[in-house]
Amino acid sequence: MIDEAEVRAAPLTAGTPYIELRGITHSYGPVLALDRVDFKVHRREIVGLVGDNGAGKSTLIKILSGVLQPSRGEILVDGRRTTFGSARVAMNYGMETIYQDMNLIDGMDIMRNIFFGREAAHPLGFLKIGEMKRRAMEILEKEITIEGIRSPHQLVGNLSGGQKQAVSIARAMYFKNQVLLLDEPTSALSVRETQAFLGHITRLRDEGLSVVIVTHNLFHAYQVADRFVILSHGKKVEDTPRGNTSAEELTRIVVGTK
Amino acid sequence: MSISAELARPTAGNWLKELQRRRSGNIVLLFVVIQVIAIAFALVFPDEFRYVSTGNVQLMLKAIPSLVIVVLGVNLLMIAGEFDLTVGATFTLSALVMAKLFNAGVPLWISVIASLGAGAIIGVTNGWIVVMSNVPSFIITLGTMWLWRGVILILSGSVTESFYPTRFFEKLFTLNVGPIQVQFIWSLAVALLCWLLLERHRLGNYLFGVGGNRKAAAALGVNTHRVKIVAFGITGLLAALSGIMSTVRINSISPIQGQGLELQAIAACVIGGTALTGGKGTILGAFLGAALMYTIQDVLLLLRAPGHYLQMFVGVIIVIAAVLNEAIKSE
């Protein structure tokens, strides 16, 4: 059996990382959620961010997506210091978050969800429905084909967990974001949907995107990630390339450092 | 191929299914059914139940616009996931501001702008308190409703204020176009504007987003606070417009007017298919919901039922809607 890792395009781990966090500390009141964490994501790299409940994974993702501002620490994009003051700013730097509780709106159709917050509109704010529909069809036909989806006007609320996830990914792909932040992406998916999803992730990486995948499931992470970062009680306890470790060893570290 | 051709033919069953697939399908169906029943009864008992008499139809078309315009605002707000219990007080206070200023010698157009401004300010203030405090809008606006009701009593001295504007202004709202008073046409125009805003404008997208999944909307870079405050502002503005129109029509504004309007408006939205939990609703549904509320009021009047029957109806509708909402959610 051929080792998947060798066949895939190599991540650009050398040189300046696309995103780098230095000494990030964040506390919720008296609770220290992150303690001087360094974290980087290179271009065309999948980073598996793992750790037990309360390790600080979600806090880190929220900081990367601009939803939370860290108490202390620096954020660098392409080597330049910056701040992610809001979700909008982070999006402008190419961060796209797909949350476990879904960043889709059930009461709206697929087209409106894909373009939510980035609508094609006339100067006065009136929507270019025709254009969005045409582009949505394009996305559904070319970027990502989703099983069981025929029209961009289907309500997202009527889709399965896997279909929803695929819509989120189609959106991220279409807008050519640099870094995809996935928070427990497989928790709502069936086994088959999970495999399709992990396939999408790998494809995205090969097309040049970076991905941060947060998961409880070390085996899912191990299938796709190029590097693993393990958090425990708000501290980084491990940062290792895939070649230096195994799913079993990762499990030992996560459980052992509890 | 013959089977699909068979299916595509608009048979009675298909037509019904097609209608129900539309977001406002159920309310259209309900509205038609109730109208058919009312008209049928009126035809069978023309003397006891004068529903289709010219007088009654004209009265309904005159009365519906006031409620419709308030409901259109409340509907946008409910889609954004919030409630405004002050709309009844806003309706009265704005009208009172206009009448008082005009009667004190202020030019009419300034009085009208001040009135609309007062409505918008009341709405925006509600919105601002709600987003800043993170307290449910039901509670905040319950409080501000009593505040503004008090202001109304102080300002009016508990007496009805008369209002006789210029002839042109009066005609603007009372002219008859054929059998229809122009107010009804204005309400259709406002409905069209609201539709454009909700279905064809970026703001409409954000209203659905903020009401349907606030976290997602925020994560996608939408300023949810601003969207909610704008929705509250529009609601206040439309309540003021409705107050102005009603005052022009009856040439006076009484301090007790508009009481109960807030719950009637919520009930109308709920009948029209707007979710109590936000993220769902249509303009057509809200319009027909309001028209249906008035139809029911009218039917009760024609049957010589006491006025409080409508209150009971409103109460029951809201409780049923809330229970159904919860049942659907837990399913």
Side-chain angles (χ1 to χ4, degrees):
Chain A
M1 207 179 117
I2 307 163
D3 189 352
E4 264 185 50
E6 281 171 18
V7 178
R8 298 187 313 203
L12 305 173
T13 43
T16 315
Y18 180 63
I19 297 284
E20 186 173 1
L21 304 183
R22 285 187 191 158
I24 292 289
T25 298
H26 190 78
S27 36
Y28 300 101
V31 183
L32 193 60
L34 288 176
D35 186 7
R36 287 162 290 164
V37 170
D38 296 327
F39 184 79
K40 55 194 174 191
V41 186
H42 291 87
R43 289 182 190 281
R44 201 189 281 171
E45 181 183 39
I46 301 178
V47 179
L49 181 58
V50 291
D52 209 341
N53 284 343
K57 307 182 300 273
S58 288
T59 307
L60 193 61
I61 287 289
K62 281 183 183 145
I63 287 169
L64 283 168
S65 61
V67 173
L68 268 183
Q69 281 70 49
S71 315
R72 274 196 304 284
E74 297 180 346
I75 298 178
L76 291 89
V77 178
D78 258 339
R80 276 188 295 275
R81 275 184 65 175
T82 185
T83 49
F84 289 173
S86 70
R88 174 66 73 185
V89 173
M91 271 168 85
N92 291 342
Y93 277 113
M95 316 300 284
E96 173 93 16
T97 318
I98 299 180
Y99 285 104
Q100 54 191 359
D101 48 3
M102 298 288 176
N103 51 356
L104 296 174
I105 294 143
D106 280 352
M108 297 172 87
D109 64 16
I110 294 173
M111 178 192 89
R112 282 176 187 257
N113 264 287
I114 289 177
F115 290 99
F116 191 86
R118 285 176 285 215
E119 295 84 359
H122 297 283
L124 280 176
F126 287 97
L127 302 172
K128 296 176 178 171
I129 300 271
E131 185 184 330
M132 287 198 286
K133 187 179 175 184
R134 192 173 47 73
R135 281 159 61 184
M137 296 285 275
E138 219 175 275
I139 295 168
L140 294 179
E141 277 162 16
K142 287 188 195 144
E143 301 279 355
I144 192 163
T145 46
I146 306 168
E147 239 178 288
I149 286 182
R150 302 171 305 280
S151 148
H153 291 307
Q154 273 175 273
L155 269 192
V156 161
N158 298 336
L159 303 181
S160 75
Q163 289 172 325
K164 284 184 182 180
Q165 199 74 268
V167 170
S168 292
I169 291 173
R171 171 166 66 187
M173 286 172 75
Y174 181 76
F175 287 101
K176 302 279 178 255
N177 287 295
Q178 292 301 311
V179 183
L180 207 53
L181 306 170
L182 305 166
D183 193 359
E184 295 288 353
T186 52
S187 58
L189 305 190
S190 68
V191 174
R192 208 159 69 98
E193 285 173 337
T194 300
Q195 289 313 314
F197 172 77
L198 295 175
H200 286 315
I201 297 300
T202 312
R203 213 182 95 210
L204 282 172
R205 192 206 66 159
D206 294 346
E207 286 174 12
L209 267 76
S210 312
V211 179
V212 177
I213 177 167
V214 170
T215 178
H216 269 99
N217 193 319
L218 286 160
F219 292 91
H220 290 167
Y222 195 76
Q223 272 188 50
V224 292
D226 301 304
R227 191 159 52 86
F228 298 93
V229 171
I230 303 179
L231 293 180
S232 175
H233 300 290
K235 286 196 169 72
K236 185 164 85 172
V237 295
E238 185 68 74
D239 189 338
T240 177
R242 171 197 165 91
N244 290 354
T245 187
S246 64
E248 289 72 21
E249 193 190 338
L250 291 170
T251 310
R252 268 200 304 279
I253 298 171
V254 171
V255 176
T257 54
K258 205 180 161 183
Chain B
M1 193 212 134
S2 64
I3 293 173
S4 61
E6 191 78 23
L7 283 174
R9 194 179 299 158
T11 59
N14 268 348
W15 172 83
L16 202 64
K17 273 202 191 101
E18 186 57 40
L19 184 68
Q20 280 183 310
R21 241 207 321 268
R22 297 191 68 85
R23 283 181 300 154
S24 48
N26 285 328
I27 172 68
V28 172
L29 207 61
L30 183 68
F31 185 78
V32 170
V33 166
I34 288 185
Q35 293 300 340
V36 167
I37 292 172
I39 291 168
F41 264 93
L43 292 178
V44 176
F45 308 102
D47 294 326
E48 294 88 341
F49 188 64
R50 306 176 64 84
Y51 186 71
V52 288
S53 69
T54 319
N56 187 55
V57 171
Q58 277 186 346
L59 192 72
M60 276 214 287
L61 291 181
K62 269 185 192 171
I64 287 173
S66 305
L67 182 59
V68 161
I69 290 176
V70 174
V71 165
L72 286 169
V74 168
N75 185 50
L76 293 180
L77 188 62
M78 280 174 70
I79 290 172
E82 301 292 343
F83 295 98
D84 186 353
L85 295 182
T86 62
V87 288
T90 309
F91 172 98
T92 312
L93 185 57
S94 306
L96 199 59
V97 164
M98 173 183 70
K100 278 275 178 193
L101 286 177
F102 180 68
N103 292 344
V106 174
L108 180 62
W109 65 277
I110 295 181
S111 312
V112 171
I113 289 174
S115 167
L116 293 171
I121 289 169
I122 292 172
V124 166
T125 309
N126 282 333
W128 186 78
I129 299 173
V130 167
V131 299
M132 288 303 150
S133 65
N134 219 6
V135 173
S137 50
F138 216 86
I139 304 297
I140 296 291
T141 59
L142 184 67
T144 52
M145 169 180 87
W146 287 107
L147 169 71
W148 297 120
R149 282 256 161 243
V151 172
I152 288 166
L153 288 179
I154 295 168
L155 207 63
S156 66
S158 302
V159 272
T160 298
E161 184 82 18
S162 58
F163 181 68
Y164 291 95
T166 58
R167 214 179 129 67
F168 170 75
F169 192 69
E170 191 160 334
K171 283 292 170 207
L172 200 59
F173 292 112
T174 56
L175 196 74
N176 284 318
V177 183
I180 300 170
Q181 199 180 40
V182 71
Q183 290 218 355
F184 189 74
I185 297 169
W186 292 140
S187 73
L188 288 178
V190 173
L192 181 66
L193 279 177
C194 288
W195 182 83
L196 282 172
L197 204 61
L198 187 64
E199 302 289 343
R200 288 292 177 270
H201 194 274
R202 203 181 264 150
L203 178 67
N205 240 16
Y206 296 166
L207 292 174
F208 278 115
V210 166
N213 188 345
R214 196 181 57 78
K215 270 190 184 162
L220 289 164
V222 170
N223 185 335
T224 60
H225 284 186
R226 196 164 64 197
V227 170
K228 286 194 175 182
I229 291 175
V230 168
F232 270 103
I234 293 172
T235 306
L237 187 73
L238 290 182
L241 177 64
S242 175
I244 293 170
M245 285 170 59
S246 157
T247 305
V248 175
R249 186 162 60 88
I250 58 180
N251 291 118
S252 70
I253 178 74
S254 133
I256 58 156
Q257 229 169 315
Q259 278 182 6
L261 194 56
E262 51 284 332
L263 289 185
Q264 277 188 34
I266 292 172
C269 289
V270 164
I271 294 172
T274 305
L276 284 170
T277 43
K280 195 166 157 277
T282 61
I283 299 295
L284 181 61
F287 194 100
L288 292 182
L292 206 55
M293 282 291 297
Y294 197 80
T295 304
I296 287 154
Q297 189 174 351
D298 184 57
V299 166
L300 291 173
L301 281 173
L302 288 173
L303 295 173
R304 293 185 184 75
H308 54 254
Y309 275 45
L310 182 74
Q311 282 180 27
M312 292 162 63
F313 174 78
V314 168
V316 169
I317 280 291
I318 290 177
V319 171
I320 289 176
V323 170
L324 282 180
N325 249 321
E326 207 50 42
I328 290 167
K329 231 188 343 185
S330 58
E331 213 172 62

